[in-house]
Amino acid sequence: MDTGKVLAIAKSAGFSQVGELDCETIRLMPEVRKMCEDNTCGMYGRCWSCPPGCGSLEECESKVRKYKKGILVQTVGEMEDSMDIEAMMDTEEAHKENFAKAREELQKLYPDMLALGAGACTVCKTCAYPDEPCRFPEKAISSMESYGILVNQVCTDNHMKYYYGSGTIAYTSCFLLE
């Protein structure tokens, strides 16, 4: 992996923070997948990119273990207070835009990469799940959590902050490249 080039691409896409990811630090945890099953976001069983549509934990593990190196990316936003929903939504939208830009560029260098985002896939207004196959499998994005990844743990294990203090919100994603 050309680390300098990859990190430069991520930075130029607009992320606030970028860093290397050692894929050996990624642990897929049933407890995280259980949080998906509790359906607090309302997407469990409603799209191909979320459980159970994205595959079993074992299937996700098989995909992740094909990679040794990658990068973590974050978009950090400022909030007026802990209930500043507008700032949260604006930061999430910015993160998804940054993610799409970086993904497009990184895919040119690493066509077989695995891109894991933040939150549910938003490529289609309404997902075809479960009645029809995914309309855009080359664009669909599963979240790190849907794969069973505890984002805080991966950030810590790879020397990246997860929490930037009160008055901030951070969205984290990763690209597994090699």
Side-chain angles (χ1 to χ4, degrees):
M1 178 173 90
D2 184 342
T3 305
K5 187 172 189 173
V6 167
L7 294 175
I9 288 170
K11 258 312 206 191
S12 70
F15 292 110
S16 308
Q17 302 292 326
V18 300
E20 292 182 61
L21 169 61
D22 175 358
C23 294
E24 294 295 318
T25 65
I26 298 173
R27 292 189 302 253
L28 279 62
M29 304 175 171
E31 304 90 332
V32 176
R33 184 53 80 86
K34 175 73 172 101
M35 288 188 274
C36 287
E37 291 174 21
D38 291 344
N39 204 25
T40 51
C41 75
M43 295 306 293
Y44 184 83
R46 296 191 61 207
C47 68
W48 285 110
S49 62
C50 290
C54 66
S56 69
L57 206 53
E58 293 76 20
E59 290 168 323
C60 292
E61 179 93 30
S62 173
K63 292 176 189 174
V64 167
R65 294 301 158 223
K66 293 177 183 174
Y67 302 91
K68 298 294 178 218
K69 296 180 181 179
I71 59 169
L72 284 167
V73 295
Q74 292 178 327
T75 305
V76 181
E78 301 288 327
M79 301 187 309
E80 289 182 21
D81 58 48
S82 63
M83 299 305 288
D84 189 350
I85 303 300
E86 186 177 337
M88 289 179 202
M89 290 173 60
D90 288 348
T91 305
E92 180 182 21
E93 182 63 30
H95 185 74
K96 287 184 184 264
E97 289 172 13
N98 299 341
F99 188 84
K101 283 185 232 171
R103 182 181 185 190
E104 185 177 332
E105 290 303 310
L106 290 171
Q107 220 156 19
K108 293 173 186 175
L109 299 172
Y110 302 95
D112 296 325
M113 74 177 178
L114 176 60
L116 297 174
C121 183
T122 56
V123 172
C124 299
K125 189 172 183 175
T126 304
C127 186
Y129 185 85
D131 301 320
E132 298 172 27
C134 177
R135 293 181 204 96
F136 302 101
E138 71 286 351
K139 292 182 182 178
I141 303 291
S142 289
S143 70
M144 293 174 73
E145 293 87 354
S146 71
Y147 266 55
I149 298 170
L150 185 61
V151 177
N152 183 29
Q153 171 260 313
V154 171
C155 288
T156 300
D157 289 351
N158 288 278
H159 315 290
M160 180 176 277
K161 281 185 172 182
Y162 176 76
Y163 178 66
Y164 290 86
S166 62
T168 64
I169 182 82
Y171 290 89
T172 305
S173 298
C174 66
F175 296 94
L176 308 185
L177 304 170
E178 282 189 347

